[in-house]
Every structure is written in structure tokens, then in C-alpha cells.
Amino acid sequence: MARILAAVWPIVKGCITGGVFGITIADWSASYVTLHGASMHPTFDPQQAERALVDKRCLHRYHFSRGDVVVFRSPRDHRELVVKRLIALPGDWIQIPEKQEIQQIPQGRCWVEGDNAATSFDSRSYGPVSYSCCYWTQLRYWPRINCL
């Protein structure tokens, strides 16, 4: 029994080390996100489950710009990740056509909208999003490849 344990222990130790290393990379560096729904159509195809590699390191050195596609925690359900386009930054003024009002984006917040306004649940519904909810930016996406 001791011989079996001695033979298996290096493999178990390597798996545990690799798992911890992989989780650390996923938390701090990059991860994959599957994109669902039609709110970002035509940028992302709602008929296919497209995947995006999301670079998390950029938040330490990157400043958000209008037009960036960002991934953030939904203000409605913090377990859900949402992909939207950044429309306005703190201090910008935005007109909300549905409400016929103009408002200034407060410090520490940003305005996000989906590319498909008809189906998007975004800042027009829940208001400006806190930067603390914006976890990632710099999406690099790959359309789904159908194999025969």
C-alpha cells in the first residue's frame, strides 16, 4: 500500500498544484465567457454561443473609453455576467430618449447599452453602472466553428 501511495502522490500533488495555478490565472489574468442573447447583435451572433477570451489584466493599466465592450456583473443579479458597450463615462451627459430626460453620469459610474436596443436590458433600465461592477474589458472573440 505504501508503494502505491508513494507512486500516486506525485501525480496528486501535481494535479493540486496545477489546479491552484489555473484558478489563479483565471481570477487575475484571463478567462473565457460564453456570450448569450440578442442584446449585442449584430456584434455577437445570438444564434450561436460565441466565446470570448476576456483579458482581466488590462484593468490595472487600461482606461475605459466610449465604445469599449465591457463584461460586468449585472446590477440586477450579481451572479450573472453581462456584456454591453460603454456609452458614457463619469461627467458625461446622456439623453434617455424613452424618458425625454438628460442626466449627468456621476463619478465612479458609467452608462452601458446593448447594440440591439430593442432587446437589451441595460442602463436605460437600471441606470448608470458602478465601475466596481465592471470586471473585465478587452474582449477577443471567436465565432463558433461548426465541425462536420
Side-chain angles (χ1 to χ4, degrees), residues 88-139:
L89 298 169
D92 289 352
W93 292 88
I94 187 123
Q95 181 177 8
I96 306 167
E98 293 83 10
K99 297 180 181 177
Q100 302 291 323
E101 68 180 54
I102 297 174
Q103 75 180 61
Q104 187 176 25
I105 307 302
Q107 289 300 317
R109 298 191 166 268
C110 59
W111 191 270
V112 294
E113 293 182 7
D115 290 348
N116 185 356
T119 63
S120 183
F121 187 73
D122 50 31
S123 286
R124 291 171 293 178
S125 304
Y126 46 71
V129 175
S130 172
Y131 270 141
S132 65
C133 290
C134 293
Y135 286 102
W136 309 307
T137 186
Q138 301 283 333
L139 269 83

Side-chain angles (χ1 to χ4, degrees), residues 3 5 9 24 27 30-31 50 63 75 96 99 104 108 127 132:
R3 295 176 81 189
L5 185 59
W9 177 244
T24 302
D27 281 347
S31 65
E50 294 183 299
H63 299 287
I96 306 167
K99 297 180 181 177
Q104 187 176 25
S132 65

Side-chain angles (χ1 to χ4, degrees), residues 9-54:
W9 177 244
I11 296 170
V12 171
K13 185 177 168 183
C15 289
I16 292 171
T17 303
V20 169
F21 185 69
I23 290 170
T24 302
I25 287 175
D27 281 347
W28 292 99
S29 183
S31 65
Y32 280 100
V33 175
T34 302
L35 308 171
H36 301 283
S39 71
M40 285 300 289
H41 181 70
T43 303
F44 301 114
D45 186 357
Q47 302 301 320
Q48 299 182 14
E50 294 183 299
R51 293 184 174 231
L53 177 64
V54 184

